[in-house]
Amino acid sequence: TQTINDWYDRDIDAINEPYRAIPSGRISGPQVIAQIWVLLLSGVALAAGLDWWAGHWFDGVSGIFLGPVQVPPILANALFGSLVAYIYSAPPLKLKQSGWIGDYACGASYIALPWWCGQSLFGQLNPEVMVLSLLYSIGGLGIAIVNDFKSMEGDRMKGLMSLTVMYGLDRAKWICAATMDLTQLATALYLASVGETNYALVL
């Protein structure tokens, strides 16, 4: 998914980070496309294999059901994450063009999706875990803003409305800190509300 993002950001990276492999020409277009497909198919195959190892296939319970077809949970996460990665980076949607939506999609991909996969593999994915991980993904929005700082010049020149472009560096850094701090507070309150007082106090 990072390769997909780098491919569609090659014009912006040519401004912000011209030394990177794609804008510098060290890797060709066909090589990039081949790498995307190899990594995508390998990731999907690995997800399917982990579902098999965990006993999710054909258990009639786990994952998503599309009519009679069961898509086990780790494979479903991998497919959904791949879709999010594509629409985040590629036109026509290119979610990263919209500061708040794009940064939240990025944060959720970093935090919620891996969390859901781990919980599906080693535990039980339930609504409480999903709510908690989605809350933490708001904090991931702050992490995505940090990444936007280094890309501000190219984003502005190419019309990509990242939060740093929309609000400027000074306001963006406060938004970054606030999203991470308020996420911690909201998560602590949520944990306290479901009886996990010790974890809430640690946060």
Side-chain angles (χ1 to χ4, degrees), residues 47 50-51 53-56 59 62-63 72-77 112-126 129-130:
L50 288 172
D51 273 317
W53 178 80
H56 295 149
D59 66 0
S62 305
I74 300 172
L75 178 59
N77 270 286
L113 289 179
W115 198 334
W116 294 355
C117 284
Q119 193 71 23
S120 297
L121 184 60
F122 298 110
Q124 182 67 41
L125 185 60
N126 54 49
V129 170
M130 296 183 76

Side-chain angles (χ1 to χ4, degrees), residues 120-184:
S120 297
L121 184 60
F122 298 110
Q124 182 67 41
L125 185 60
N126 54 49
E128 288 79 11
V129 170
M130 296 183 76
V131 168
L132 191 61
S133 60
L134 289 172
L135 274 176
Y136 254 102
S137 295
I138 300 173
L141 187 150
I143 298 171
I145 296 172
V146 171
N147 186 62
D148 289 341
F149 289 154
K150 65 180 176 60
S151 306
M152 185 175 177
E153 180 184 357
D155 289 350
R156 181 185 289 115
M157 291 177 65
K158 294 296 181 178
L160 197 153
M161 296 304 292
S162 65
L163 293 180
T164 51
V165 172
M166 291 169 63
Y167 297 108
L169 285 176
D170 285 339
R171 291 181 68 185
K173 70 183 181 184
W174 285 108
I175 294 171
C176 174
T179 54
M180 290 191 279
D181 290 346
L182 291 175
T183 295
Q184 290 289 93

Side-chain angles (χ1 to χ4, degrees), residues 127-129 131-132 135 185-196 200:
E128 288 79 11
V129 170
V131 168
L132 191 61
L135 274 176
L185 177 60
T187 304
L189 292 173
Y190 173 76
L191 287 170
S193 74
V194 297
E196 298 290 353

